């Protein structure tokens, strides 16, 4: 009897929380004091308030489920686990899984390793789970959080460095990348200038070679002309001499 009363009380709290889940925007009632913050800060506070509401809803559902599970265990036969008990344990495990993900998201948001846009990207799916996970035809999407790569950012897993990386370190990393890009661009410009200079020098050398060849051909033509002129004069002189001798 005592357990049943506890279940009824937990279920009543869950109904109230579920109603708020369906009707509240999460971002107004609890954030009046933050109204003077800049939009980015306000958006982060809104996202955190929503995460906090999700945690509250998950814990409420979990408490009600634990109480129901306690009753199911009290009724089972020795050494046997009923199908109802298995179902309740599975639902409890799923609640705990979502609770871990939401709590991790809140930590990452507080550490600026997760943006409010990231949080909002899963809002619709998470709210659907909170509102509908007890429905008989409910089908859970186990990939809700995949795009956020939470495990890579978790300080207890592979994302330790990412989680510890401060905003300043990110800025320094960006500056380093920008400098590398600038250095690459400067090197590219220098290489392009060197290539243009080499092309210019090669073109000048080619023009000089062409001019030298033209000069050589002109000189060769002049030499041949002079040789032919000298020969013509010699032939003319010889014929004149022969004519004089013939006349005598």
């Amino acid at each position: 009897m005592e357990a049943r009363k506890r279940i009824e009380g937990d279920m009543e709290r869950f109904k109230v929380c579920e109603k708020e889940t369906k009707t509240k925007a999460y971002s107004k009632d609890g954030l009046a004091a933050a109204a003077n913050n800049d939009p980015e800060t306000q958006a982060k506070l809104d996202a955190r308030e929503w995460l906090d509401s999700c945690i509250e809803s998950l814990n409420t559902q979990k408490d009600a489920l634990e109480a129901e599970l306690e009753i199911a265990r009290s009724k089972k036969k020795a050494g046997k686990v009923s199908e109802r008990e298995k179902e309740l344990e599975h639902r409890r495990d799923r609640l705990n899984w979502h609770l871990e993900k939401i709590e991790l998201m809140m930590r990452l948001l507080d550490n600026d390793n997760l943006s409010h846009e990231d949080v909002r990207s899963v809002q619709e799916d998470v709210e659907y789970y909170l509102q509908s996970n007890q429905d008989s035809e409910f089908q859970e999407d186990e990939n809700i959080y995949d795009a956020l790569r939470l495990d890579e950012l978790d300080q207890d897993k592979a994302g330790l460095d990412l989680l510890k990386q401060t905003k300043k370190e990110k800025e320094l990393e960006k500056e380093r990348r920008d400098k590398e890009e600038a250095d690459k661009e400067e090197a590219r410009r220098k290489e392009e200038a060197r290539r243009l200079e080499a092309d210019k020098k090669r073109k000048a050398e080619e023009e000089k070679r062409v001019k030298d060849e033209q000069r050589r051909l002109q000189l060769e033509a002049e030499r041949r002309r002079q040789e032919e002129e000298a020969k013509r004069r010699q032939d003319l002189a010889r014929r004149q001499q022969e004519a004089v001798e013939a006349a005598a």
Side-chain angles (χ1 to χ4, degrees), residues 19-132:
K19 182 179 179 181
E20 292 176 351
T21 300
K22 294 178 179 179
T23 58
K24 288 187 354 181
Y26 296 107
S27 59
K28 295 180 180 178
D29 297 340
L31 296 172
N36 293 326
N37 284 308
D38 64 273
E40 193 70 17
T41 302
Q42 183 66 48
K44 179 179 178 180
L45 290 171
D46 290 349
R48 197 182 194 286
E49 178 69 11
W50 178 76
L51 290 171
D52 192 56
S53 298
C54 291
I55 291 173
E56 181 182 353
S57 178
L58 287 166
N59 280 323
T60 300
Q61 292 188 39
K62 182 181 173 183
D63 290 342
L65 198 62
E66 289 284 4
E68 192 174 352
L69 185 57
E70 185 179 337
I71 291 178
R73 285 171 176 168
S74 68
K75 292 181 179 180
K76 75 175 182 179
K77 295 180 181 179
K80 288 188 176 181
V81 179
S82 67
E83 291 301 318
R84 178 58 176 168
E85 190 176 350
K86 290 180 181 178
E87 177 190 347
L88 293 172
E89 287 177 346
H90 175 72
R91 283 173 50 196
R92 180 196 59 190
D93 292 342
R94 299 311 300 163
L95 286 170
N96 284 331
W97 183 77
H98 282 279
L99 192 58
E100 289 177 0
K101 295 296 184 182
I102 298 297
E103 289 175 343
L104 176 56
M105 287 175 65
M106 184 175 287
R107 290 202 309 272
L108 296 172
L109 180 67
D110 289 342
N111 292 331
D112 291 327
N113 286 292
L114 197 70
S115 70
H116 60 83
E117 291 95 343
D118 293 330
V119 175
R120 292 303 180 193
S121 70
V122 300
Q123 180 173 348
E124 183 177 347
D125 290 332
V126 172
E127 287 182 352
Y128 170 69
Y129 172 81
L130 293 175
Q131 296 166 16
S132 307

Side-chain angles (χ1 to χ4, degrees), residues 207-223:
E207 290 177 350
K208 182 177 182 300
R209 187 190 67 77
V210 170
K211 288 180 179 179
D212 289 345
E213 181 64 15
Q214 290 176 343
R215 176 67 176 167
R216 185 187 69 78
L217 293 174
Q218 289 174 353
L219 292 174
E220 180 67 17
E222 179 64 18
R223 182 184 66 77

Side-chain angles (χ1 to χ4, degrees), residues 160-174:
L160 178 61
D161 292 338
L162 286 176
L163 187 62
K164 288 183 176 181
Q165 189 177 34
T166 64
K167 186 176 181 180
K168 181 62 176 177
E169 288 171 336
K170 290 180 180 179
E171 291 174 353
L172 290 174
E173 179 65 14
K174 183 177 183 301

Side-chain angles (χ1 to χ4, degrees), residues 160-210:
L160 178 61
D161 292 338
L162 286 176
L163 187 62
K164 288 183 176 181
Q165 189 177 34
T166 64
K167 186 176 181 180
K168 181 62 176 177
E169 288 171 336
K170 290 180 180 179
E171 291 174 353
L172 290 174
E173 179 65 14
K174 183 177 183 301
E175 290 177 2
R176 184 186 66 79
R177 290 199 195 101
D178 290 345
K179 186 176 184 303
E180 286 182 355
E181 289 299 321
D183 290 345
K184 288 179 181 178
E185 181 62 20
E186 180 64 21
R188 188 193 67 77
R189 285 197 297 265
K190 288 182 177 179
E191 177 62 21
E192 181 67 12
R194 186 197 66 76
R195 186 185 65 79
L196 291 174
E197 183 64 25
D199 288 346
K200 182 179 179 181
K201 182 178 179 181
R202 192 160 47 247
K203 184 178 180 181
E205 290 175 349
E206 180 65 17
E207 290 177 350
K208 182 177 182 300
R209 187 190 67 77
V210 170

